[in-house]
Amino acid sequence: MDRKPVIGITMDVDEEYFKIKNHYTDAILSAGAIPLLLPPKESIITEIKNLVDGLIISGGGDIPPEYYGEKPVADNLKIVDRKRIEFEIKIIKEFLNSKKPVLGICYGMQLINVVYGGTLFQDIQGHYDGFHEIEITDNRLIPPGRYTVNSSHHQAIKKKGRGIIEIGVSLKDGIIEAIRHRDYHNLFGIQWHPERLKGQLSERIFKNFIGLLRR
């Protein structure tokens, strides 16, 4: 690849605004790529796929339980705008059909699991804000080992979707912290927020993700 790779980053929807935290763009720039913020407009998915080399599904709120065949059982759900969800489901599939790398972060990992028929715990305790230790067991994105990561979520994978393989878990309670797909070797999800976490681990995640573009 003669030019810098372009990484598309999906954005959240807040009424009439699109929004995203600047940590995502900073992380991609630091890793040597160009970030491109993607508005959730289904009409331009083909054009986006042609412009962008890799895709990040950014963090967000909660996926409506109807998407994984359940009714709401938690009273603190902050539902993501359905226009965003529908856009991201379609663009994930388009990128995988093109064999382009996809990385889901937090909500993004949960959505990947739901796309493949998995379910979620609607509300868990102990993973809202803070740090905890995880163990990575697969070397496709980062080396196996134990890491301390930042946490900011109250939902997590319950039943894994078709082809979803867990490659990282929380040592405290076994919550799934990282996934890959059995058949799509460039599809990954991580539950924590590496874009907000400074240090070698986060740098390695984004550089290795961008490295997938050159394989």
Side-chain angles (χ1 to χ4, degrees), residues 27-196:
I28 293 302
L29 287 167
S30 295
I34 298 172
L36 181 65
L37 300 181
L38 306 179
K41 299 292 185 180
E42 294 184 33
S43 61
I44 58 172
I45 285 179
T46 299
E47 287 77 7
I48 289 172
K49 183 181 67 175
N50 293 333
L51 285 170
V52 170
D53 302 301
L55 176 68
I56 289 179
I57 306 297
S58 64
D62 301 319
I63 300 167
E66 67 198 60
Y67 277 80
Y68 46 94
E70 294 185 4
K71 294 181 178 179
V73 295
D75 59 7
N76 60 344
L77 298 180
K78 296 180 180 179
I79 298 299
V80 172
D81 189 288
R82 283 168 171 78
K83 292 191 295 294
R84 175 185 178 181
I85 296 174
E86 294 297 330
F87 167 79
E88 288 172 329
I89 289 173
K90 290 180 172 63
I91 201 168
I92 288 170
K93 293 177 179 178
E94 284 288 334
F95 268 69
L96 295 180
N97 288 338
S98 300
K99 299 183 179 179
K100 293 187 175 184
V102 177
L103 173 64
I105 295 176
C106 199
Y107 151 90
M109 183 182 95
Q110 296 165 11
L111 182 63
I112 288 170
N113 188 61
V114 169
V115 165
Y116 286 98
T119 64
L120 304 176
F121 292 110
Q122 292 186 32
D123 190 29
I124 59 173
Q125 299 298 316
H127 286 254
Y128 288 90
D129 286 295
F131 293 87
H132 62 282
E133 193 173 16
I134 67 168
E135 183 167 16
I136 298 294
T137 57
D138 181 278
N139 66 356
R140 300 203 184 194
L141 193 61
I142 51 177
R146 295 187 175 186
Y147 301 94
T148 299
V149 301
N150 53 341
S151 178
S152 180
H153 64 99
H154 78 107
Q155 296 196 320
I157 290 176
K158 181 167 62 176
K159 185 188 80 173
K160 289 178 290 186
R162 298 178 302 276
I164 296 294
I165 299 172
E166 67 181 67
I167 61 173
V169 297
S170 167
L171 292 175
K172 178 182 178 181
D173 51 22
I175 290 292
I176 296 174
E177 290 283 345
I179 61 172
R180 65 175 177 86
H181 197 276
R182 179 189 60 215
D183 303 318
Y184 296 98
H185 300 303
N186 287 342
L187 175 62
F188 296 92
I190 51 180
Q191 184 59 71
W192 69 96
H193 282 274
E195 77 284 358
R196 301 183 205 165

